[in-house]
Amino acid sequence: MKHFLLYHAPALVALALILLYLPVLLWGTWQFDDGHSIVDNPFFRDWHNIPRFFTGTDCFSMDPAMGMYRPVLLLSYWATHALFGMEVWGWHLVNLLIHLGSAFVVWRLFGGWPALFFAFSPIAVEPVAYVSARSDGLMVLFSLLAGWALWRSWRAAIELGGRNRAIWLRWASVGFMALAMLTKETAVVLPVFMVIWYLDFYGWKNWELALWNAWRHLAAAGLYLLTLFATGFLGRSLAHPARGAWDQLYTQIHAACYYAFNLFCPVHLSIYPVGIAHLGTMDFIVMGLGGLVIGGLVFLALGAGNCLPRLTIKKDPVVLFAILWMVLALLPVMVMPLNMEINCRRMYYPLIGSCVLWAHLLKDDKGWFRHAWLGMLVMFAVTGTLNWSDPVSLWIDASRKNPESAAVKINLGDAFRQKAQAGEPEYWHAAEQAYTEALHLGGQAALAYNNLGSICLAQGQLVEAERLYLDALAFEPDNADALANVGTVYHERARRGVEVAESRRQALEWYARALDRNAFHRVANRNAGLLLQDLGMQEEAQFYLEQANRVRSLP
């Protein structure tokens, strides 16, 4: 029986992961940034746009401000759309297969227990259940493959007649590294990993030889950085940072505590983690104590820290390797001032180092500690998959953990509104209450007013809906959603026979203003097309309906 389990371990782990993520595959939906980057984004669906993926950032999102240079990620979107269309279960399945592939490579590189901890960690739930988080999953898979190819090249180099094979494997490592960087920018730290592995292979005293042999990886990284500058992405990011240098230092010192705590005790995960400004004193005390305990374990494992000052890998190379992995993997997101202070999927890359460290520290003769830790991870992962399978549960959990966030309240209101639109009218009041709470918190007022207006519109309260849409425009005059929605109010008046000619004229005017801000706005294009059909202008109507059809989304 034992031999059977060992022989079929990869298949059994794959089956267990499919069962774990079955709620996401069956009931998962589009979430959060999926709207602007996937659901309403027509650019990645047309194979004629593939060259544009590599030459700019305009195909990444319907929102120009959200443009990023991730051509390989867009290629994966194109392939997934070709296979599954916009069936969300197919997109989640691809994310799960990517996570399975990463777990398999972790097994080949580091062994069974690190792979099990990685596969069933609750930190991995978001990169699987959140479609837009594929950037993290795919980047990690390519990074692991780059490391595996480099490791295999060293083994081939010492085999008889394996020199040519070793060279090809090193080039394969460079290729996988390039794919990782073209999937997500945080993979730019991968060349540093490669240099460290070369130094470990040749010895720190032979650093010149190590750097010489790492020239392929360093050259690829240099070409990638030049490409980022050429596309304008890196220049824009550096020219318009999300916050100043001192604010960045302050927030990321606290973020480091958050990441360190959850990498070793993942109990405070959320799609929208609490911002640093809203963390309570008890949160910092718990995280600080957790950091001290973890630091103590690492200190003891290193033999009173004797090997760290000398930076040698003699006493406990596994611990030092795991620490370096976690620090380097988090370095890009700690240095760059990103829009979100904390993001749970940023822990997916350093999670590998955490899993290697836990597997090493929890060694015992019978493996009871490792089994207990795996059981705890599975328990939290089950909770995470159940939350992610239902938008209401997901955002209620986020609201409980981050009660002072207006963005969380708005997304919670959206989840309630979707339930109400699906035929459960009791959720209308809950949605209205969530949007009102967002207004009271003093953030994203335009979005809150716009969504409150949509509730009134759905219930036939046209006067109140128009007032709320205009309130939204008072905060954001160029808000395409609010502009299109005012047009919809006048369109509905015309349908009800209220000043038909004037209402139609006003509706077309508001739709035109919305399309001036966003030529691919789905609602504005569709409704303008339908209104022009009513006016007998078939050719003009066909143009707008085709535009709407290009960006149609699933309900």
Side-chain angles (χ1 to χ4, degrees):
M1 184 66 178
K2 182 178 180 180
H3 292 294
F4 173 84
L5 292 175
L6 289 174
Y7 184 78
H8 295 284
L12 292 173
V13 170
L15 179 60
L17 276 176
I18 291 172
L19 292 175
L20 174 64
Y21 286 97
L22 195 60
V24 174
L25 295 175
L26 292 177
W27 304 299
T29 62
W30 305 104
Q31 297 282 1
F32 211 30
D33 288 337
D34 291 342
H36 70 81
S37 62
I38 299 175
V39 176
D40 292 328
N41 184 358
F43 300 115
F44 70 81
R45 307 178 195 186
D46 187 351
W47 68 270
H48 293 94
N49 288 329
I50 290 178
R52 293 173 59 190
F53 298 172
F54 293 86
T55 57
T57 62
D58 57 319
C59 291
F60 182 78
S61 170
M62 287 297 297
D63 184 354
M66 302 296 289
M68 295 186 181
Y69 186 71
R70 298 177 180 177
V72 172
L73 177 66
L74 289 175
L75 272 177
S76 80
Y77 287 172
W78 170 80
T80 307
H81 182 263
L83 289 172
F84 300 105
M86 295 303 292
E87 295 289 342
V88 68
W89 69 267
W91 292 72
H92 284 137
L93 178 62
V94 173
N95 282 15
L96 177 57
L97 292 175
I98 290 170
H99 177 58
L100 270 170
S102 296
F104 180 79
V105 183
V106 170
W107 171 55
R108 298 296 296 168
L109 282 172
F110 306 118
W113 280 108
L116 285 173
F117 292 162
F118 176 78
F120 293 97
S121 172
I123 293 174
V125 172
E126 186 168 330
V128 174
Y130 181 24
V131 177
S132 290
R134 179 181 299 181
S135 56
D136 295 270
L138 196 58
M139 180 269 292
V140 167
L141 175 59
F142 286 136
S143 299
L144 288 167
L145 288 171
W148 174 83
L150 185 60
W151 171 64
R152 291 295 299 174
S153 76
W154 293 334
R155 294 192 59 179
I158 61 177
E159 295 173 357
L160 185 63
R163 184 173 181 276
N164 289 334
R165 185 161 165 264
I167 292 174
W168 281 109
L169 282 167
R170 289 189 184 184
W171 280 111
S173 175
V174 173
F176 284 126
M177 186 190 76
L179 290 172
M181 291 188 295
L182 293 172
T183 299
K184 190 169 185 179
E185 309 77 34
T186 48
V188 73
V189 75
L190 193 54
V192 181
F193 279 118
M194 298 303 181
V195 170
I196 290 174
W197 287 343
Y198 273 110
L199 288 169
D200 183 39
F201 181 74
Y202 289 105
W204 292 84
K205 292 182 180 180
N206 299 317
W207 62 270
E208 293 177 337
L209 180 62
L211 289 177
W212 173 252
N213 280 274
W215 71 268
R216 300 173 184 84
H217 294 88
L218 295 174
L223 286 174
Y224 172 70
L225 291 175
L226 287 175
T227 303
L228 289 184
F229 273 111
T231 59
F233 172 68
L234 189 57
R236 289 195 304 271
S237 300
L238 295 175
H240 304 286
R243 61 190 68 86
W246 285 110
D247 286 339
Q248 174 70 4
L249 179 63
Y250 171 77
T251 58
Q252 292 312 305
I253 286 174
H254 292 84
C257 296
Y258 179 88
Y259 292 140
F261 179 79
N262 281 283
L263 277 169
F264 291 97
C265 190
V267 298
H268 205 275
L269 304 176
S270 170
I271 186 175
Y272 207 99
V274 60
I276 297 299
H278 301 298
L279 283 176
T281 304
M282 187 56 64
D283 292 313
F284 286 121
I285 291 174
V286 171
M287 290 182 188
L289 289 175
L292 287 174
V293 172
I294 293 163
L297 290 173
V298 173
F299 187 78
L300 291 174
L302 287 169
N306 287 334
C307 71
L308 275 179
R310 292 183 290 129
L311 202 62
T312 61
I313 310 181
K314 291 182 178 179
K315 286 207 169 185
D316 205 327
V318 175
V319 173
L320 184 55
F321 169 80
I323 292 172
L324 285 173
W325 185 292
M326 287 184 284
V327 171
L328 289 174
L330 278 172
L331 190 60
V333 299
M334 303 296 288
V335 172
M336 287 296 292
L338 304 174
N339 290 327
M340 289 187 68
E341 297 173 2
I342 301 174
N343 190 314
C344 287
R345 60 184 177 276
R346 293 174 192 164
M347 292 184 281
Y348 189 64
Y349 201 1
L351 173 64
I352 298 166
S354 169
C355 294
V356 171
L357 185 56
W358 270 123
H360 182 68
L361 295 179
L362 295 176
K363 284 190 298 187
D364 65 304
D365 292 338
K366 295 186 178 181
W368 294 116
F369 291 146
R370 289 174 169 176
H371 284 90
W373 181 249
L374 180 61
M376 191 195 78
L377 292 178
V378 171
M379 179 180 67
F380 285 117
V382 168
T383 302
T385 56
L386 291 175
N387 281 338
W388 276 91
S389 65
D390 176 34
V392 170
S393 297
L394 179 67
W395 289 105
I396 286 177
D397 177 71
S399 180
R400 179 175 58 83
K401 295 173 179 175
N402 192 357
E404 301 299 320
S405 170
V408 169
K409 297 297 184 183
I410 286 174
N411 281 282
L412 177 60
D414 291 344
F416 285 136
R417 185 155 58 100
Q418 290 171 8
K419 288 276 191 180
Q421 290 170 337
E424 301 180 61
E426 64 272 16
Y427 283 100
W428 285 120
H429 177 70
E432 183 179 353
Q433 184 176 359
Y435 295 139
T436 303
E437 289 177 4
L439 285 173
H440 290 160
L441 290 171
Q444 303 192 27
L447 189 54
Y449 277 122
N450 181 70
N451 293 355
L452 283 169
S454 296
I455 291 177
C456 293
L457 181 62
Q459 297 176 332
Q461 302 171 18
L462 301 185
V463 174
E464 183 65 13
E466 182 182 8
R467 183 187 67 79
L468 290 166
Y469 290 142
L470 293 175
D471 286 341
L473 290 170
F475 284 93
E476 289 184 20
D478 291 332
N479 189 305
D481 290 336
L483 291 168
N485 287 333
V486 176
T488 303
V489 169
Y490 281 101
H491 196 166
E492 184 62 26
R493 285 180 178 174
R495 287 173 174 168
R496 296 185 180 187
V498 179
E499 299 179 351
V500 175
E502 176 62 16
S503 294
R504 285 176 171 175
R505 186 190 66 79
Q506 289 274 17
L508 285 173
E509 181 179 320
W510 285 100
Y511 292 147
R513 290 176 62 183
L515 293 171
D516 282 341
R517 275 67 175 181
N518 181 358
F520 293 98
H521 196 280
R522 184 177 58 88
V523 172
N525 276 295
R526 183 195 63 198
N527 289 357
L530 293 174
L531 182 52
L532 290 169
Q533 272 187 343
D534 293 341
L535 294 171
M537 305 168 67
Q538 297 301 325
E539 291 186 7
E540 293 87 344
Q542 186 65 24
F543 169 79
Y544 288 108
L545 291 174
E546 286 178 358
Q547 284 284 88
N549 190 53
R550 289 184 64 196
V551 294
R552 69 183 184 276
S553 62
L554 297 178

